[in-house]
Amino acid sequence: MSSSRRTFILRLWIASLCLLTSVAHAQDVAEVPDAVRENVELLVHKGLEDTVGYAFVRDLTTEVGPRLAGSEAEARARSWSTQKLAELGFANIRTEPFTIPYWSRRVDRGSIVSPAPQNMVITALGGSTSTPPGGVEAEVIRFESMRELRAASSDIVAGKIVFIDEKMTRTQDGSGYVMAVRKRRNCATTTSEKDGVACLIRSVGTQDRRFAHTGMMSRSTAVGDGPAAAVSPPDAEQLTRLLENGPVRIRLDIQVEAQSEAPSGNVIAEVVGRERPEEVVLLGCHLDSWDLGTGAVDDGAGCGIVVGAAHLIMSLDEAPRRTIRIVLYGAEEVGVLGGHAYAKRHADEMDHHILAAESDFGADKIYRFDTRFGEGALPYARAMQQMLEPLGIAPGHNLAGGGPDISMLPELGVPVVSPRQSGWDYFDLHHTPDDTFDKIEHSKLNQNVAAYAAFAYLAAEMDWDFRPSTGFGYKNRYRPKAAVSPSWSVREP
Ligand code: ZN
Ligand code: ZN
């Protein structure tokens, strides 16, 4: 076949494929009545001008500040939110308490002892054990990846401080985190299995400033298998340069406080549905944060977004048919414990959970709308996606996982959506002292408020059923983690 004929056939094939897809697409978008469409447009318009969501994250991070899971500050955040939600006019405001193992840092210091004594900027990882008082000093052994550490023999690791110098890739969808976080979770366990004395990782983050990123490591009780810390990127570079010249000794002094039980809880508030109040569209975020910053992008912003969106829906002339429930989860950072506590407590009501979404990826704009619906419900997904187009949001795929605290809901048959925010800058701030309110842009946050209000209202007002007829194929895989007993096991955050 000549190349021009091949090109012609290829063009014809592409053209017919486009035509078929567009016909199928046009046929497969669910009808939205004019009155509902007008309300959605009104919500989008008002969402872009909203002040409630922005004020919520501003005041939470200012008046409460950091909100470590299980701490007095997290308890204060629950009271603060309860009061604020009441002032905003929400109904059925309540806290659902549960207990969690508690961990907090007291001291975390690191330094190079030889050959060139100097300070390092480090932060203890959540779940780290304490070193002996005054710290532990040992020679450093460097690995370029978690995989390299796993492959190393105990002979070369024993008695040393392991240093994993693996960098994280910056991506829009945050996929670099999935890879990079493995070293944070597993470094201490693998180090201890090989008789190393402590573990130091290059921070799981994308910035190159002189501060470190904390975060949870794997553990089976309040603490894990050894002392573990993250080091700032410039200090990781410094350590690497020194190691090129010969042996380096460092000292890590980590002192922590741990208890088997401390109080946490989920704060819940509702806009009660006018026709079927028992049917719930759930919008989540997490109220706890790490202790280093004020938890503004992680996840004060998410709470501002869902509070702002639900408040907008409340301001319509009449409530939607179904209930909008906002859940401000506790103890997400330390093992998604609030998410598990909710799933366990509401296990019998999952059939009434129509749809769930969680905002936990900062305050940047949403660029894509992913769903996890039954095949038969895809026309509803497309209708939602069409109504989000004016906000610059593109249609996504149907493999959404929801957010961390709702990640177990599809296993319980509940459809979820993932409005995907740009994560390009998120991991510059994530779990650092730099996660503060000044990083949030009001107009970007409002694009989120508008989008959440739009799709949540559609889900609550229309009679749509998003479930697959035969479930999502998990066959009851989910087993509630005993988040409320000391013998729980951690599901990775
Ligand atoms: Zn988060
Ligand atoms: Zn986090």
Side-chain angles (χ1 to χ4, degrees), residues 177 184 286 289-290 298-299 332-333 360 426 430-431 493:
Y177 183 67
R184 193 185 79 204
H286 68 84
S289 77
W290 281 107
D298 186 14
D299 182 29
E332 186 276 343
E333 294 290 5
D360 182 21
Y426 183 56
H430 184 253
H431 298 181

Side-chain angles (χ1 to χ4, degrees), residues 276-341:
R276 290 193 294 284
E278 73 286 0
E279 294 186 357
V280 166
V281 173
L282 187 157
L283 302 181
C285 65
H286 68 84
L287 196 54
D288 67 309
S289 77
W290 281 107
D291 50 342
L292 303 179
T294 58
V297 304
D298 186 14
D299 182 29
C303 291
I305 288 162
V306 301
V307 168
H311 180 260
L312 278 182
I313 294 172
M314 189 162 57
S315 71
L316 292 171
D317 288 341
E318 60 175 4
R321 291 193 169 96
R322 294 160 163 161
T323 292
I324 305 280
R325 175 179 294 172
I326 53 174
V327 185
L328 281 50
Y329 291 95
E332 186 276 343
E333 294 290 5
V334 296
V336 196
L337 302 182
H340 288 293

